[in-house]
Amino acid sequence: MRCFRPWSRRVSDEVDKTAVVVESQRQQVSRDVRKDEEAAAQQGSKCILSRIMRPDDANIVGNVHGGHILKMIEEAGCIISTRHCNTQNGDRSLALLVRVEKTEFLSPVFIGEVAHVTAEITYTSKHSMEVQVKVMAENILTGAKKLANKAALWYVPCSLQNVDKITEVPPIKYASAEEEEEGRKRYEGQKMERLETKLRIEAVASPSPNPEKHTVGFSQSSLIHLVGPSDCTIHDYVNGGVTMKLMDEVAGIVAFRHCETNIVTASVDAINFHQKIKKGAVVTVTGRLTFVSGRSMEIEVLVDVSPLIAAEKGKYHAVSAFFTFISLDKDNKPLPVPPLKIEGEEEQRRFEEGKARYLQNKAKRLAEQQRQQ
């Protein structure tokens, strides 16, 4: 004779089994979360962004604009800097970009490739952070990867309650005393360069009505942009990446007007953010040629701001930088650049200063290549 358990008893047993399974799953999730947190702690201050490059990121021949890469670099830097600054008790803060060191565009990025941007904090002072960024470009059809870009950025944390208040930065741990000392030297160096750059900013004169081809005035270009909410941080100040993208666009127009060929960003000398740009302001981004070698063009780009709401502040210089562009043929091979026709003592002075920067950067690249060998 078969015996059957009451229906209520069977239901109770099933409930108990389900509860055991749920509890086991909960414990596994907790272990996974703890593992992820431990891995993040071991990695330290690191951030990785990935995005596929679309047609609207590139020029008509498929080269991704340098400005889009710069914008992604700044986004990664802002994320990791802001995250780091809010790991301690005190005012909540948002990291604002104040400087980008010389940036090399080592390999072109094309439509359809995936850009992987990795940012890591490498030095902290009391009120600022250095973020080193690398950009890898991946061809997801073949799996091939290449180093596309390297950059170093400096951020300062501003309080969410008072944007003019700079908060303190939590220190990071260094692998050695030598590493910390090297970071301190970079910090002191960029601090001095920012002050020197701010002192030598000059106003950009309007070109003559009918400039001759291949002169500074012929290719000089300006872009006027009204700062809207989508351009800004939660502080209502312009994102550094938005400004750099506008600067790269203007520099590209200048280079194209001079060469009338396909042109790409080769490098950017230090970009200095001298003053913040408020939402609702009108920015005028102006680019002009300062030096031309046989294969490259140096373009000075200045950002001037005209506040609409706080008009009493008056027009001011906000950002400055030197962009280097090269000319390419249809196979992405470098082309000779037409020589620049110099007019006047001021243009000659700027040309000589640009030549000095060109030779200095060339010597640095050769020294770096020899060091790596």
Side-chain angles (χ1 to χ4, degrees):
M1 179 178 179
R2 297 181 64 186
C3 296
F4 293 93
R5 287 181 297 170
W7 179 82
S8 59
R9 179 67 179 275
R10 294 201 305 272
V11 171
S12 178
D13 290 346
E14 291 299 324
V15 170
D16 291 341
K17 290 179 181 178
T18 302
V20 170
V21 171
V22 169
E23 176 62 20
S24 176
Q25 292 175 342
R26 188 191 66 78
Q27 292 177 359
Q28 182 61 45
V29 169
S30 297
R31 285 194 294 269
D32 291 342
V33 169
R34 285 197 300 272
K35 191 181 296 183
D36 290 342
E37 290 175 345
E38 290 170 0
Q42 290 173 357
Q43 285 181 349
S45 299
K46 232 175 201 182
C47 174
I48 300 175
L49 298 180
S50 297
R51 188 165 75 80
I52 192 165
M53 297 294 99
R54 303 185 302 268
D56 57 337
D57 296 320
N59 61 20
I60 57 176
V61 295
N63 299 109
V64 173
H65 291 296
H68 285 279
I69 301 297
L70 289 171
K71 190 169 183 290
M72 289 186 67
I73 286 172
E74 197 280 330
E75 287 173 354
C78 180
I79 290 171
I80 197 60
S81 300
T82 300
R83 180 186 295 162
H84 179 74
C85 289
N86 289 286
T87 55
Q88 63 181 6
N89 294 327
D91 286 353
R92 299 295 92 185
S93 58
L94 178 70
L96 296 183
L97 182 65
V98 294
R99 178 178 166 89
V100 182
E101 300 290 359
K102 183 173 178 62
T103 305
E104 298 281 357
F105 291 78
L106 304 173
S107 301
V109 183
F110 300 101
I111 294 172
E113 292 184 331
V114 175
H116 303 283
V117 184
T118 304
E120 182 176 12
I121 295 176
T122 51
Y123 181 77
T124 57
S125 68
K126 186 177 181 180
H127 294 296
S128 65
M129 297 154 283
E130 179 193 53
V131 180
Q132 298 279 353
V133 182
K134 288 185 179 180
V135 181
M136 298 294 296
E138 177 191 7
N139 185 321
I140 54 177
L141 299 179
T142 65
K145 293 182 180 180
K146 58 189 176 185
L147 179 61
N149 188 285
K150 292 194 298 183
L153 304 88
W154 290 89
Y155 289 84
V156 296
C158 296
S159 169
L160 291 180
Q161 282 71 42
N162 178 9
V163 71
D164 294 321
K165 177 185 176 183
I166 298 178
T167 58
E168 291 191 7
V169 178
I172 62 171
K173 293 182 179 179
Y174 301 96
S176 64
E178 291 78 11
E179 183 180 289
E180 183 177 6
E181 178 60 21
E182 286 298 317
R184 188 191 64 77
K185 290 179 180 178
R186 293 193 301 271
Y187 166 73
E188 295 294 342
Q190 65 85 26
K191 189 176 179 181
M192 183 65 67
E193 286 184 18
R194 285 189 68 227
L195 292 173
E196 292 175 353
T197 303
K198 192 172 183 178
L199 292 174
R200 67 171 181 258
I201 292 178
E202 305 170 1
V204 180
S206 299
S208 58
N210 296 300
E212 185 182 349
K213 194 172 184 180
H214 297 147
T215 60
V216 173
F218 182 81
S219 58
Q220 182 173 312
S221 304
S222 294
L223 182 153
I224 299 175
H225 179 75
L226 175 63
V227 177
S230 62
D231 300 322
C232 298
T233 67
I234 56 177
H235 276 311
D236 285 340
Y237 288 96
V238 176
N239 274 303
V242 171
T243 306
M244 291 191 291
K245 182 174 178 293
L246 292 173
M247 296 173 77
D248 181 75
E249 288 176 3
V250 169
I253 292 171
V254 172
F256 177 79
R257 282 181 169 173
H258 185 74
C259 294
E260 297 182 343
T261 61
N262 177 32
I263 46 86
V264 294
T265 314
S267 66
V268 185
D269 263 13
I271 304 175
N272 291 288
F273 293 78
H274 308 293
Q275 294 192 52
K276 297 185 287 291
I277 304 173
K278 186 78 172 175
K279 181 177 71 176
V282 174
V283 296
T284 302
V285 188
T286 303
R288 62 183 175 189
L289 278 166
T290 50
F291 173 75
V292 169
S293 70
R295 296 280 182 175
S296 65
M297 299 158 278
E298 182 191 70
I299 300 159
E300 183 181 25
V301 182
L302 302 174
V303 180
D304 294 315
V305 180
S306 299
L308 292 183
I309 299 174
E312 67 279 358
K313 185 175 182 180
K315 189 175 182 179
Y316 61 92
H317 294 299
V319 191
S320 61
F322 290 97
F323 285 69
T324 299
F325 275 72
I326 58 174
S327 174
L328 301 177
D329 64 16
K330 62 180 180 180
D331 297 318
N332 287 311
K333 302 294 184 182
L335 286 172
V337 175
L340 182 63
K341 296 178 181 179
I342 302 299
E343 299 177 324
E345 294 181 1
E346 281 301 307
E347 289 186 8
Q348 183 63 43
R349 179 183 60 80
R350 288 196 293 269
F351 185 88
E352 293 300 328
E353 290 175 351
K355 183 178 180 180
R357 285 188 293 269
Y358 167 77
L359 294 174
Q360 184 181 32
N361 290 331
K362 187 176 180 179
K364 286 181 179 179
R365 285 196 299 270
L366 289 174
E368 180 66 20
Q369 291 172 1
Q370 291 174 356
R371 188 183 65 81
Q372 291 177 352
Q373 290 174 356

